[in-house]
Amino acid sequence: LISGGLGTMICLYHYADVNHSRNWVEKVHNLLATLMSDFKWLPTFMIGGYLAFYVQRWRQFMFAAWQVEGRLKDLGIIIGSDARDPDDPATRRLLFRIYRYMVLAMALQYKAVMPQLKEAGPHLCKVLEKLGLLTPQETLVLQPQGSRMRDAVLSWIACEVKDNGPTKSGLLTGTCVISVMDKLTACRGSMMYFHGNNFYPQPNTWSAFMTLLVDIYCGLMVITYPFKMFTSLDLNQFHGFQPFT
């Protein structure tokens, strides 16, 4: 409305041709058009950088999630191939327990975005128990861990691998212990990065400067467009109404 009203006044002033007003309007039109052309690249660049940051941030979330999935699949392959006798019932129970811990770790990793787990609040372990991911005994151990539940579950996997090596139960050959620990630590790092990515927002200086430039650009548009796009009263059927501004 401000731009349109200003455009109508400029149109009438241009038509009156008082004190060389026609030349003045045309001169200011050229100057402001040049100013807009020279200035608009900077807020456009700032907005592009701002959007690119959040697109890249989203991509980092996705890459971290894929890395977590990949490390857990690596663990499954390594531990599964380390079984001394895959047909042994005790070995099958062990492998299923480790697999359950992997699924539990994933559930804890994404509990903030899974509606059923997000709504559980302090009753999270009870919900996981109902889903078959925890036993009552494990719930008593995991509940006090608080924000470190995910790390505790990964440590359970490490303990299961060590406790079932050749020097103990002998269900696993023990030849892949180092690889298992390496994949577990890599998995924990990817899980931490996924959540740590939330704490790296766009710098406030960039956001504030971009907002200032966009506000200036909008102000220039209000002032400049009546000059840049005004329609002469000689060609206007609406008595000064400026349809473009």
Side-chain angles (χ1 to χ4, degrees):
L1 293 176
I2 295 174
S3 183
L6 184 59
T8 298
M9 294 176 60
I10 293 171
C11 176
L12 296 175
Y13 187 58
H14 177 269
Y15 179 76
D17 198 17
V18 179
N19 297 326
H20 306 289
S21 60
R22 186 182 295 268
N23 293 334
W24 179 85
V25 170
E26 294 174 356
K27 183 177 180 180
V28 173
H29 162 268
N30 294 330
L31 292 175
L32 291 179
T34 302
L35 175 63
M36 281 287 290
S37 178
D38 292 342
F39 180 80
K40 66 183 179 182
W41 73 270
L42 185 55
T44 302
F45 169 78
M46 296 295 290
I47 293 174
Y50 189 81
L51 295 176
F53 173 86
Y54 283 101
V55 170
Q56 178 62 17
R57 188 172 177 226
W58 172 251
R59 294 178 72 246
Q60 289 173 342
F61 277 120
M62 298 301 298
F63 290 150
W66 290 335
Q67 288 172 359
V68 171
E69 178 187 2
R71 300 299 76 75
L72 288 175
K73 287 181 177 179
D74 291 344
L75 279 172
I77 294 174
I78 294 171
I79 298 174
S81 64
D82 198 42
R84 189 179 299 276
D85 182 8
D87 295 325
D88 179 54
T91 301
R92 287 174 175 251
R93 286 193 295 269
L94 170 65
L95 295 179
F96 180 80
R97 185 163 60 252
I98 293 175
Y99 172 74
R100 179 167 57 83
Y101 289 160
M102 291 181 184
V103 177
L104 176 60
M106 290 285 281
L108 293 171
Q109 169 75 355
Y110 302 118
K111 64 181 180 180
V113 294
M114 297 175 67
Q116 185 177 0
L117 300 182
K118 185 178 181 180
E119 296 169 0
H123 307 292
L124 174 63
C125 287
K126 291 297 182 181
V127 173
L128 293 171
E129 186 179 333
K130 290 179 180 178
L131 292 174
L133 297 178
L134 280 173
T135 64
Q137 295 77 15
E138 291 168 348
T139 298
L140 295 176
V141 176
L142 191 62
Q143 183 74 49
Q145 304 301 321
S147 61
R148 297 300 177 184
M149 289 183 182
R150 183 182 60 245
D151 295 344
V153 172
L154 293 179
S155 70
W156 289 355
I157 298 176
C159 291
E160 290 291 344
V161 172
K162 285 191 173 183
D163 291 344
N164 291 278
T167 60
K168 294 193 176 181
S169 71
L171 298 179
L172 301 176
T173 63
T175 58
C176 300
V177 173
I178 295 177
S179 298
V180 169
M181 300 308 161
D182 181 61
K183 296 299 180 182
L184 276 173
T185 53
C187 181
R188 189 204 64 83
S190 297
M191 286 179 169
M192 291 298 295
Y193 181 80
F194 180 88
H195 292 285
N197 197 35
N198 281 324
F199 301 101
Y200 295 95
Q202 184 78 308
N204 290 332
T205 304
W206 184 289
S207 301
F209 189 47
M210 180 200 68
T211 302
L212 175 64
L213 289 176
V214 171
D215 290 343
I216 294 174
Y217 184 64
C218 291
L220 283 176
M221 289 178 63
V222 171
I223 297 173
T224 302
Y225 271 58
F227 287 93
K228 187 178 179 181
M229 306 185 70
F230 87 96
T231 304
S232 173
L233 193 63
D234 299 335
L235 306 175
N236 198 328
Q237 300 293 327
F238 303 103
H239 305 286
F241 175 70
Q242 302 293 296
F244 295 109
T245 57

